[in-house]
Each structure stands twice: as C-alpha cells, then as structure tokens.
Amino acid sequence: MASTPSVQRSDGSLVFCVLACLLTWALSTPAMLHFLERTPLTPAAVAGAGLSAFGPLVAALLVAATQGRIRSIFTPFRAPLHWIVLGLFAPMLSHLAATALFVGLGGPPAQWFHPPVTPEHVAALVVFSIGEEFGWRGFLQPRLAHRYGPVLGSLLVGVVWALWHLTYCVTPEAASFSLSAFLLGLLKLPLWSVIIAWVRERARVGLAVALAFHAGAHLDNLQRALPIDWRLHGLHIALLAILSALAARSLTTATPGALDSVTSSA
C-alpha cells in the first residue's frame, strides 16, 4: 500500500520552534527572576542569560541532526559586501528616518542614535546575531517559505521570533514584564523578517546578510530610548510596513524557489 504524504510534519519546523523557545526561556528565567526581585545577578544567572541567546542555534542543530541536514543551516553563507553593509546600517537608517519624521511633527526625541553603552550591549551584538540567525533564517525560514511562500513564511518566522523574546521583556530597569516591549517586537519583527527575506533573495540568500541585520539592530537599538514613546515607534512601524509591503511585492514576483532551496534540495 502506498504511503500517503505527511502533512509537512517531517520538516521539523514545529519541533524547532518549541525547542528554541523552551531552551531560551529556561536559561533566561533565573536572570528574569532576579530582575523581578531587584536582586543582584548570580554568576549562574549571568551565564544562563548569555547562553540563552543560543536557543535557536542549538534547536536547529538538534532537529537538523535527526534529518542529516546540519550543513544546510549554515549554507549558503556568503553575500556581496555592499549588501552586508546595507544590512548592518539598515536598522539605524530606519530609526533615523522615523526620528526625523517625529521631530518634523513636533516630537521631542531624547536622542537620535541609541548605540551600545555597556559591555553587555556590545556582547549581545555578536552573541545574539550568531545564536539566533542560523535558527531563524538558516533553519526555519527555508522550511516555512517552502510551505507557505516567501511572504507568509517570513511573517510567521517574525511572529515566532517575537514570541521567543518573551522572557527578555522583563527588564532590570522596570523590574517587571514590559508589555510595550513585547508588543513592539510582535509588530516590528514580522515586518523586519519580510525585509530580510527580500534582501537575502537579492543577495543570493547569503546568511551573512541576516547576521548583519541582526547586529545592526543591536548597533542602534531604538528600544533603548526609555520610556517607550509610542508616537515615535508608531512612525517607525509605519515606515517598516511600507518597506515590507514593497519587499513582499518583489518577493511574490521573484523566481520561485530561491529562499526554499535548502528544503527542496534536501
């Protein structure tokens, strides 16, 4: 008797999402509890917070290993230098444009740029880029693009990406869960995901571009502007929505199969 095709369960997407979130949440929870209790971080909590960034990478390696496809997580990697530079500075340029609009409408921004100001910020720029992107863009993106198409697949990656940040929304400054920070991630990350997918398409799907975008988000992090001003972020979301709509239009007319090449060639 011929076997019926599985309903896309064998690609491991769901298992990856669950593992990535659980690994990161488990490792970051001790630091989160210290923030809530306003107590100093223990060495174990600091180590856990740092290692939590690698949840997506570890989850991708574990699932891909069962499929015999570990190499696919890291390839293709190279991208033209000008696209990497664009990715690195694109978040900063988008923040600058939103801030300029905000000022033009009479808003009073605290500052124009929000660079890393602590050793932890600098470390996060490298650690989170490596720990996340091989999971989101190396593992999950090709599979969801293959199943749902490049636009919807990218949006779904962005939703999972935002949910993954759940424990990071407890900050030492507020000593509580920041609903605003969570909602901003839920609104912005799917839009960024579509934009990154478009750039990867134009850069021959090089993962180096995704890492550059992620590092750029830490190089100039608009959410360091506290307290959160929804007028400023609203303008930034509107700008990202326009850019992602243009990117989505381009992706739907692009040659099929570029972003899902890893899945289809396995």
Side-chain angles (χ1 to χ4, degrees):
M1 179 178 177
S3 60
T4 57
S6 63
V7 189
Q8 296 290 355
R9 290 180 295 182
S10 60
D11 68 359
S13 296
L14 179 59
V15 175
F16 162 79
C17 292
V18 172
L19 272 177
C21 289
L22 290 182
L23 286 170
T24 292
W25 293 347
L27 288 167
S28 59
T29 291
M32 180 188 71
L33 293 175
H34 280 287
F35 294 154
L36 290 172
E37 297 168 0
R38 296 184 182 274
T39 55
L41 293 178
T42 62
V46 172
L51 291 173
S52 68
F54 294 94
L57 174 58
V58 173
L61 289 171
L62 290 173
V63 178
T66 67
Q67 301 171 339
R69 296 163 59 187
I70 289 181
R71 186 168 180 266
S72 69
I73 298 172
F74 305 100
T75 56
F77 183 79
R78 292 183 179 181
L81 179 60
H82 63 278
W83 284 111
I84 295 175
V85 173
L86 174 64
L88 186 62
F89 290 100
M92 181 185 297
L93 292 173
S94 72
H95 299 159
L96 183 61
T99 303
L101 286 171
F102 187 48
V103 172
L105 294 172
Q111 61 191 90
W112 286 79
F113 298 104
H114 310 84
V117 294
T118 67
E120 291 80 9
H121 290 167
V122 175
L125 187 151
V126 177
V127 170
F128 280 89
S129 301
I130 296 172
E132 292 186 55
E133 287 306 318
F134 291 111
W136 306 138
R137 249 59 65 172
F139 182 94
L140 188 59
Q141 173 79 35
R143 287 157 175 79
L144 294 189
H146 181 70
R147 189 190 304 187
Y148 299 111
V151 177
L152 180 56
S154 298
L155 290 171
L156 291 173
V157 170
V159 171
V160 177
W161 191 12
L163 292 174
W164 176 84
H165 282 84
L166 191 68
T167 53
Y168 297 130
C169 293
V170 176
T171 63
E173 295 82 8
S176 64
F177 178 79
S178 174
L179 180 60
S180 292
F182 178 71
L183 291 177
L184 284 175
L186 201 56
L187 290 169
K188 291 185 181 185
L189 294 184
L191 300 177
W192 272 121
S193 190
V194 174
I195 294 169
I196 294 171
W198 175 80
V199 173
R200 286 188 61 208
E201 179 78 25
R202 291 295 174 265
R204 301 183 183 276
V205 274
L207 283 167
V209 170
L211 268 73
F213 262 96
H214 207 123
H218 287 275
L219 187 64
D220 183 46
N221 189 343
L222 190 59
Q223 288 186 223
R224 292 193 188 114
L226 298 173
I228 290 174
D229 191 320
W230 274 96
R231 296 171 299 171
L232 172 59
H233 284 282
L235 289 170
H236 189 231
I237 291 168
L239 177 63
L240 292 180
I242 293 170
L243 293 175
S244 66
L246 294 172
R249 180 184 176 91
S250 177
L251 284 170
T252 55
T253 58
T255 302
L259 287 176
D260 65 1
S261 58
V262 172
T263 301
S264 59
S265 63

